[in-house]
Amino acid sequence: MENSIYKSMIAANQLLEKQNIIANNLANISTTGFKEKFIFQIQNQNIKNLYNNCNKITKEYHNLSSGILNHTKRNLDLFIKDDGWLTVRDKNGQEAYTKNGHLKINSNRKLTIQDNEVVGNNCNITIPNNINVKILSDGIVTSIKKNKNHITQTKIGALKLVRIPTQDLIQKENGLFYLKKDNQINKYINTVNHSNKIRVQSGMLEESNVNASRNMIEMISNARQFEMQMKMISMCDQNSEYANQLININN
């Protein structure tokens, strides 16, 4: 009896964890570049009892497919193509990666994404005052000056664009992606080198790829399963009370 209650409790906790993930997906449905997250359980092959919920290993994964493209026509809005990532430096100074290409210029004339400074490719990027900025498809940042009969472009710096396998990434609470400690790229230095093959497109933003319908269906399904586990616990508790009453009567 106690074993059944314990199993139902473990299953209910796992469902609550799933609900938190889905709720976070739905909350970020309008967040630029957000990638929906899911968790699933796999059986630990070292455990012989295949029906023991507490012996399942929980893993998480992200849907890294592209979201809908929004044509903003803003020079500092970027769509990072294919499996490329923009590199930023978080508030702790650690290198992180994002698909959010909504760049801004802060008071120090630095390019930022959600207040995280954008990392340059072997350079520091500082935007001069009173210029028009254009970012080329290879990530080179230029200033544009219009003279009488021609346009002059001057290189300011270049963005650090990287390619990282999905299995080497982990997302933290700040929404940024980081290299896992056991990554296959560089096990000793937690950074990635710039890739010349990554391309960006300015004037466009990649919206969140959260599928609202699928997440809502999953949330409803989890809620029903959670209710079923609560009923199982309640039934086991009632059966335990009935058993105690019978024992007392026989005594």
Side-chain angles (χ1 to χ4, degrees), residues 7-248:
K7 288 181 179 180
S8 294
M9 182 189 69
I10 294 295
N13 285 335
Q14 291 172 345
L15 289 168
L16 285 175
E17 187 177 358
K18 286 184 178 180
Q19 290 294 69
N20 288 333
I21 296 296
I22 294 172
N24 185 61
N25 287 341
L26 293 173
N28 286 280
I29 199 168
S30 60
T31 301
T32 302
F34 181 83
K35 300 301 179 184
E36 64 180 348
K37 177 181 174 182
F38 297 97
I39 61 172
F40 64 97
Q41 283 86 32
I42 59 175
Q43 183 66 42
N44 189 340
Q45 298 299 324
N46 296 323
I47 305 299
K48 295 181 180 180
N49 184 0
L50 298 178
Y51 301 98
N52 192 342
N53 286 327
C54 61
N55 291 326
K56 290 183 179 179
I57 301 173
T58 299
K59 297 215 174 218
E60 65 177 48
Y61 69 96
H62 291 85
N63 174 15
L64 296 180
S65 62
S66 297
I68 297 173
L69 296 182
N70 179 18
H71 295 261
T72 65
K73 297 182 181 179
R74 178 175 174 268
N75 285 348
L76 290 181
D77 285 341
L78 298 179
F79 165 54
I80 304 91
K81 297 182 179 180
D82 303 322
D83 55 352
W85 296 82
L86 274 172
T87 308
V88 298
R89 202 171 305 283
D90 67 15
K91 295 179 181 179
N92 296 320
Q94 187 175 356
E95 199 168 278
Y97 311 98
T98 181
K99 282 283 190 178
N100 185 346
H102 187 55
L103 279 69
K104 295 182 179 180
I105 303 174
N106 66 10
S107 58
N108 296 321
R109 309 303 299 174
K110 298 291 185 179
L111 290 176
T112 62
I113 297 173
Q114 295 178 321
D115 296 326
N116 299 294
E117 185 177 336
V118 175
V119 176
N121 178 26
N122 295 322
C123 65
N124 292 318
I125 305 174
T126 302
I127 308 299
N129 290 310
N130 303 319
I131 65 164
N132 292 319
V133 179
K134 182 179 180 181
I135 300 178
L136 306 182
S137 62
D138 56 0
I140 292 178
V141 183
T142 63
S143 64
I144 303 174
K145 290 185 178 179
K146 294 182 180 180
N147 296 323
K148 293 181 179 179
N149 298 320
H150 64 281
I151 297 175
T152 303
Q153 288 191 16
T154 305
K155 181 178 177 180
I156 298 174
L159 304 175
K160 182 178 179 181
L161 305 171
V162 299
R163 173 178 283 133
I164 310 174
T166 306
Q167 65 272 16
D168 289 334
L169 287 170
I170 184 171
Q171 188 180 37
K172 294 187 178 180
E173 293 181 358
N174 59 7
L176 299 174
F177 286 82
Y178 296 80
L179 276 180
K180 293 180 180 178
K181 292 182 178 180
D182 57 346
N183 70 85
Q184 299 301 313
I185 299 174
N186 194 329
K187 295 183 179 180
Y188 304 102
I189 302 175
N190 211 29
T191 58
V192 186
N193 292 327
H194 172 82
S195 173
N196 292 320
K197 296 181 179 180
I198 301 301
R199 292 292 177 265
V200 300
Q201 185 169 345
S202 64
M204 302 176 69
L205 282 178
E206 180 185 352
E207 300 297 336
S208 166
N209 69 350
V210 174
N211 186 318
S213 299
R214 181 174 59 188
N215 278 270
M216 286 298 297
I217 292 171
E218 190 79 14
M219 178 174 280
I220 294 170
S221 175
N222 287 340
R224 289 175 177 172
Q225 292 181 56
F226 181 81
E227 184 180 355
M228 183 182 68
Q229 296 300 333
M230 291 298 99
K231 286 182 178 179
M232 287 288 294
I233 293 174
S234 179
M235 288 176 60
C236 288
D237 189 47
Q238 289 178 6
N239 290 338
S240 179
E241 289 183 7
Y242 294 151
N244 288 334
Q245 289 176 6
L246 289 173
I247 291 172
N248 291 333

